[in-house]
Amino acid sequence: QVHLVESGGGSVQAGGSLRLSCAASGSTFSTYVMGWYRQAPGKEREGVAAIDNNGRTDYADSVKGRFTISKDNAESTLILQMNNLKPEDTAMYYCAADVTPVPNEINWILLHPPRPDWGYWGQGTQVTVSS
């Protein structure tokens, strides 16, 4: 069982920054493929950013150049640095982990997020960006 706890959400004005964290349990954090996903009211969940156990990353086009995902293996923490935030970034942000990833999973994990039968999810943290 892996527990994920997000933090760092809040309310900011457009152009501002937030840093989301996701603290993970488990002794093999460095091997996880992890991602950030978001869901706005009335919209489908979408993948935002992902990182694999080799440090390879993938981003949604809408956040490229503004968001940076990273893993702190020593602290078992996933980070999402969000800069130049826009009102359309307003959503609940969730972190997710696949603790038994397959090769090249980074190539598809944003479009095919972990399912409950093979992945873990946090409870989410709200990000609100005002214009």
Side-chain angles (χ1 to χ4, degrees), residues 4 9 13-14 26 29 36 44 46 48 59 62 87-89 97 105 110 115 122 125:
L4 304 174
Q13 289 191 327
F29 176 82
W36 288 97
E44 292 190 356
E46 64 172 337
V48 176
Y59 295 91
S62 60
E88 51 264 43
D89 295 318
E105 184 167 318
L110 282 187
R115 295 197 306 267
T125 186

Short mmCIF file of all heavy atoms in Angstrom, two decimals, residues 4 9 13-14 26 29 36 44 46 48 59 62 87-89 97 105 110 115 122 125:
data_model
loop_
_atom_site.label_atom_id
_atom_site.label_comp_id
_atom_site.label_asym_id
_atom_site.label_seq_id
_atom_site.Cartn_x
_atom_site.Cartn_y
_atom_site.Cartn_z
N LEU A 4 -0.21 8.70 -0.72
CA LEU A 4 0.24 9.94 -1.35
C LEU A 4 -0.52 11.10 -0.74
O LEU A 4 -1.75 11.06 -0.66
CB LEU A 4 -0.01 9.90 -2.87
CG LEU A 4 0.60 8.73 -3.64
CD1 LEU A 4 0.14 8.76 -5.09
CD2 LEU A 4 2.11 8.76 -3.56
N GLY A 9 -1.23 23.72 -2.57
CA GLY A 9 -2.22 24.44 -3.35
C GLY A 9 -2.60 25.76 -2.69
O GLY A 9 -2.22 26.03 -1.55
N GLN A 13 -2.89 35.13 -8.05
CA GLN A 13 -3.30 35.90 -9.21
C GLN A 13 -2.56 35.40 -10.45
O GLN A 13 -1.49 34.78 -10.35
CB GLN A 13 -3.01 37.38 -8.99
CG GLN A 13 -3.92 38.02 -7.96
CD GLN A 13 -3.80 39.53 -7.93
OE1 GLN A 13 -2.72 40.07 -8.17
NE2 GLN A 13 -4.90 40.21 -7.65
N ALA A 14 -3.13 35.67 -11.59
CA ALA A 14 -2.48 35.29 -12.84
C ALA A 14 -1.07 35.84 -12.89
O ALA A 14 -0.82 36.98 -12.49
CB ALA A 14 -3.30 35.80 -14.02
N GLY A 26 6.45 4.25 1.19
CA GLY A 26 7.04 3.19 0.40
C GLY A 26 8.54 3.31 0.33
O GLY A 26 9.08 4.42 0.26
N PHE A 29 10.55 4.43 -3.59
CA PHE A 29 10.03 5.62 -4.27
C PHE A 29 10.80 5.93 -5.55
O PHE A 29 10.20 6.35 -6.54
CB PHE A 29 10.12 6.82 -3.32
CG PHE A 29 9.71 8.13 -3.93
CD1 PHE A 29 8.38 8.48 -4.01
CD2 PHE A 29 10.66 9.02 -4.42
CE1 PHE A 29 8.00 9.69 -4.58
CE2 PHE A 29 10.29 10.22 -4.98
CZ PHE A 29 8.95 10.56 -5.06
N TRP A 36 1.34 14.24 -12.22
CA TRP A 36 0.35 15.19 -11.73
C TRP A 36 -0.80 15.26 -12.73
O TRP A 36 -0.56 15.36 -13.95
CB TRP A 36 0.95 16.58 -11.56
CG TRP A 36 1.89 16.70 -10.40
CD1 TRP A 36 3.26 16.62 -10.44
CD2 TRP A 36 1.53 16.92 -9.03
NE1 TRP A 36 3.77 16.77 -9.17
CE2 TRP A 36 2.74 16.97 -8.29
CE3 TRP A 36 0.32 17.10 -8.36
CZ2 TRP A 36 2.76 17.18 -6.92
CZ3 TRP A 36 0.34 17.30 -7.00
CH2 TRP A 36 1.55 17.34 -6.28
N GLU A 44 -13.13 16.99 -17.87
CA GLU A 44 -12.50 15.70 -17.65
C GLU A 44 -11.12 15.90 -17.03
O GLU A 44 -10.47 16.93 -17.20
CB GLU A 44 -12.37 14.95 -18.97
CG GLU A 44 -13.70 14.50 -19.55
CD GLU A 44 -13.54 13.57 -20.73
OE1 GLU A 44 -12.39 13.33 -21.15
OE2 GLU A 44 -14.56 13.09 -21.24
N GLU A 46 -7.24 15.64 -16.72
CA GLU A 46 -6.19 15.67 -17.74
C GLU A 46 -4.83 15.51 -17.08
O GLU A 46 -4.61 15.93 -15.94
CB GLU A 46 -6.23 16.98 -18.54
CG GLU A 46 -5.94 18.22 -17.73
CD GLU A 46 -5.81 19.47 -18.58
OE1 GLU A 46 -5.51 19.36 -19.79
OE2 GLU A 46 -5.99 20.57 -18.04
N VAL A 48 -1.03 16.44 -16.52
CA VAL A 48 -0.29 17.69 -16.53
C VAL A 48 1.20 17.44 -16.76
O VAL A 48 1.80 18.05 -17.65
CB VAL A 48 -0.50 18.45 -15.20
CG1 VAL A 48 0.36 19.71 -15.15
CG2 VAL A 48 -1.96 18.77 -14.99
N TYR A 59 5.13 16.53 -20.48
CA TYR A 59 4.25 17.61 -20.08
C TYR A 59 3.10 17.76 -21.06
O TYR A 59 3.25 17.53 -22.27
CB TYR A 59 5.01 18.95 -20.03
CG TYR A 59 6.10 19.02 -18.98
CD1 TYR A 59 7.40 18.66 -19.29
CD2 TYR A 59 5.81 19.45 -17.70
CE1 TYR A 59 8.41 18.72 -18.33
CE2 TYR A 59 6.80 19.51 -16.73
CZ TYR A 59 8.10 19.15 -17.06
OH TYR A 59 9.08 19.22 -16.09
N SER A 62 -0.21 22.47 -22.78
CA SER A 62 -0.71 23.69 -22.16
C SER A 62 0.18 24.21 -21.03
O SER A 62 0.04 25.36 -20.62
CB SER A 62 -2.13 23.45 -21.63
OG SER A 62 -2.12 22.41 -20.68
N PRO A 87 -5.56 31.65 -15.35
CA PRO A 87 -6.87 31.25 -14.81
C PRO A 87 -7.29 29.85 -15.25
O PRO A 87 -7.94 29.13 -14.48
CB PRO A 87 -7.81 32.33 -15.35
CG PRO A 87 -6.94 33.54 -15.48
CD PRO A 87 -5.61 33.01 -15.94
N GLU A 88 -6.91 29.47 -16.46
CA GLU A 88 -7.29 28.14 -16.95
C GLU A 88 -6.52 27.01 -16.25
O GLU A 88 -6.82 25.84 -16.47
CB GLU A 88 -7.09 28.04 -18.47
CG GLU A 88 -5.74 28.47 -18.96
CD GLU A 88 -5.73 29.92 -19.44
OE1 GLU A 88 -6.34 30.79 -18.76
OE2 GLU A 88 -5.10 30.18 -20.49
N ASP A 89 -5.57 27.35 -15.41
CA ASP A 89 -4.88 26.33 -14.60
C ASP A 89 -5.67 25.99 -13.34
O ASP A 89 -5.30 25.06 -12.60
CB ASP A 89 -3.49 26.81 -14.19
CG ASP A 89 -2.55 27.00 -15.37
OD1 ASP A 89 -2.56 26.13 -16.26
OD2 ASP A 89 -1.81 27.99 -15.38
N ALA A 97 0.83 7.55 -8.67
CA ALA A 97 2.05 6.76 -8.76
C ALA A 97 1.76 5.37 -9.31
O ALA A 97 0.77 4.75 -8.93
CB ALA A 97 2.70 6.65 -7.38
N GLU A 105 7.02 3.73 -20.00
CA GLU A 105 5.69 4.15 -19.55
C GLU A 105 5.54 5.66 -19.61
O GLU A 105 4.43 6.18 -19.76
CB GLU A 105 5.48 3.67 -18.11
CG GLU A 105 4.10 3.95 -17.56
CD GLU A 105 3.83 3.19 -16.27
OE1 GLU A 105 4.19 2.00 -16.19
OE2 GLU A 105 3.27 3.79 -15.35
N LEU A 110 0.59 10.06 -19.23
CA LEU A 110 -0.27 11.24 -19.10
C LEU A 110 -1.64 11.00 -19.74
O LEU A 110 -2.65 11.47 -19.24
CB LEU A 110 0.38 12.46 -19.75
CG LEU A 110 1.48 13.17 -18.95
CD1 LEU A 110 1.89 14.45 -19.65
CD2 LEU A 110 1.04 13.45 -17.53
N ARG A 115 -4.73 3.30 -13.08
CA ARG A 115 -6.03 2.85 -12.60
C ARG A 115 -5.88 2.31 -11.19
O ARG A 115 -4.80 1.91 -10.78
CB ARG A 115 -6.60 1.79 -13.54
CG ARG A 115 -6.92 2.28 -14.93
CD ARG A 115 -7.84 1.28 -15.63
NE ARG A 115 -7.30 -0.05 -15.61
CZ ARG A 115 -6.55 -0.57 -16.57
NH1 ARG A 115 -6.24 0.17 -17.61
NH2 ARG A 115 -6.10 -1.80 -16.48
N GLY A 122 -3.45 10.44 -4.65
CA GLY A 122 -3.64 11.26 -3.47
C GLY A 122 -5.04 11.84 -3.46
O GLY A 122 -5.83 11.59 -4.37
N THR A 125 -5.14 18.63 -4.16
CA THR A 125 -4.96 19.96 -3.58
C THR A 125 -5.48 20.99 -4.58
O THR A 125 -5.23 20.88 -5.78
CB THR A 125 -3.48 20.21 -3.21
OG1 THR A 125 -3.35 21.46 -2.53
CG2 THR A 125 -2.57 20.21 -4.44
#
